[in-house]
Amino acid sequence: MCCFENFDRVPRLLAAGTAAQAMVGRTSGGLAVRRALSRGVLQDIDTATHLLRYAVNRAFGRKRMVGSGAVIGVPADATSAERGALSTAARDAGLGAVRLVSEPFAAAVGAGLPVFQASGTMIVECGAGTTEVAVLSLGGICLTRSVRVGGVALNQAIADHLRFRHKFLIGEHVADQIKQEYGKRRNTGLEAVAEIKGRSLVSMAPALFRIPLVEFDGVMEKHAGQIVDVVRTVLNMTPPELSEDIHAHGVVLTGGGAATPCLKDMIEAETGLPVIIAEYSERCVARGLQHVLLN
Ligand SMILES: Nc1ncnc2c1ncn2[C@@H]1O[C@H](COP(=O)(O)OP(=O)(O)OP(=O)(O)O)[C@@H](O)[C@H]1O
Ligand SMILES: [Mg+2]
């Protein structure tokens, strides 16, 4: 994500990443916040070029990166047009030879799974825009399916629930906080009441709304159910030898959304397989890409 001044004429990057995230919905005048990626794929090539150039400058300063290579994670089912656009953005940003690596593969490597052995491993990589389910063996992806559903869609579902059921408007950041609070309290006290700041569509004024977290049960379960359906589809297509391995080792969840409320429990209940949330799940893709880059 990037925040630009003068985006339509000569764009000047003011902030990127977390700093730009804080500006969503708060911009004024000639400022514009743009997402380079949406639902896991490149949607704005110019913004992607600015974002990559910003990242390169932060990492290397003014040093030239002659001969240095780069790896970039892409969804396993990215089209050749999407891959081509990303390579172009990387080249325009000044990166040298770029290698595109499937994110579920990188996530599995980053989670320390034995992807190069003759043994099946199932990974569910839970991102902001997409969730990818893959079975890996012998250093490659045997099977993969993805759903354009992730943390952002869950935040939207939480906001929609409050809007349509309670006539209360909240922003994406507040929805994200509710999701994380629900996750923390799920096993200890969902009767806890969340105090939500937003705008009442009845009084049309800023307001504080109190709601028991348990009211979000249906929203969380419906969301996790969409991911469970994909896991089931992939399991149904998996050859018996690989199924046997997956039954022995279980399913591994990676990505920032690995702790998505209900997800682990629902996959376990629906498939009978043990489910493990990878350690530092949000860093698995980056760690896996680093491994690929250095080896
Ligand atoms: N504790 C948590 N519980 C549930 N979701 C979480 C938690 N912490 C972070 N998330 C979600 O994880 C998502 C970010 O994950 P990640 O960084 O893996 O996504 P991404 O790589 O940017 O997205 P994509 O792979 O789809 O392009 C956000 O939607 C965020 O709300
Ligand atoms: Mg990701």
Side-chain angles (χ1 to χ4, degrees):
M1 198 172 288
C2 298
C3 181
F4 294 99
E5 193 176 49
N6 234 343
F7 187 78
D8 297 328
R9 280 165 285 161
V10 187
R12 194 168 78 84
L13 184 76
L14 291 184
T18 331
Q21 179 113 38
M23 297 174 177
V24 174
R26 296 194 172 103
T27 50
S28 60
L31 302 184
V33 174
R34 302 277 165 154
R35 284 175 200 269
L37 298 164
S38 175
R39 295 164 76 86
V41 289
L42 189 67
Q43 72 156 16
D44 181 337
I45 197 163
D46 291 335
T47 301
T49 304
H50 278 280
L51 186 59
L52 286 169
R53 200 175 288 142
Y54 166 84
V56 168
N57 285 341
R58 267 196 70 163
F60 296 93
R62 299 211 170 269
K63 276 184 279 172
R64 288 194 48 97
M65 304 191 313
V66 179
S68 55
V71 288
I72 300 181
V74 285
D77 65 353
T79 63
S80 53
E82 287 162 351
R83 285 166 194 267
L86 197 53
S87 298
T88 306
R91 207 178 41 243
D92 291 351
L95 290 169
V98 175
R99 191 168 150 201
L100 303 181
V101 177
S102 292
E103 284 181 358
F105 178 78
V109 172
L113 300 179
V115 291
F116 295 100
Q117 293 177 13
S119 172
T121 307
M122 179 177 258
I123 190 135
V124 183
E125 158 57 22
C126 311
T130 43
T131 302
E132 297 188 77
V133 180
V135 176
L136 304 107
S137 176
L138 288 169
I141 295 181
C142 310
L143 253 161
T144 178
R145 284 289 177 279
S146 73
V147 55
R148 300 279 151 131
V149 158
V152 170
L154 179 53
N155 291 352
Q156 188 60 51
I158 290 169
D160 287 349
H161 176 85
L162 285 164
R163 181 185 185 133
F164 297 117
R165 188 67 63 84
H166 298 288
K167 308 262 175 291
F168 196 76
L169 271 188
I170 59 165
E172 193 181 324
H173 181 63
V174 172
D176 202 78
Q177 284 175 340
I178 296 171
K179 174 173 75 182
Q180 302 209 15
E181 190 61 23
Y182 181 100
K184 272 192 234 150
R185 301 260 184 174
R186 191 162 169 260
N187 295 323
T188 52
L190 274 183
E191 70 287 350
V193 172
E195 293 200 332
I196 301 167
K197 288 182 189 141
R199 185 157 66 87
S200 163
L201 286 173
V202 179
S203 67
M204 297 308 263
L208 192 67
F209 186 66
R210 293 186 173 79
I211 181 168
L213 285 167
V214 73
E215 215 196 277
F216 293 102
D217 277 357
V219 177
M220 304 294 175
E221 283 164 16
K222 188 172 169 201
H223 175 84
Q226 296 178 71
I227 297 171
V228 174
D229 285 347
V230 186
V231 171
R232 230 189 282 118
T233 305
V234 173
L235 284 173
N236 288 343
M237 295 159 62
T238 305
E241 293 78 5
L242 294 173
S243 293
E244 199 183 315
D245 301 333
I246 295 166
H247 271 88
H249 302 121
V251 178
V252 177
L253 306 186
T254 58
T260 292
C262 314
L263 185 58
K264 176 181 185 298
D265 294 351
M266 278 176 69
I267 298 177
E268 281 179 342
E270 295 282 328
T271 64
L273 297 171
V275 178
I276 301 126
I277 296 181
E279 206 182 352
Y280 301 114
S281 64
E282 70 285 2
R283 297 192 205 153
C284 288
V285 170
R287 271 205 307 243
L289 292 176
Q290 183 188 32
H291 181 92
V292 172
L293 185 64
L294 300 179
N295 287 282

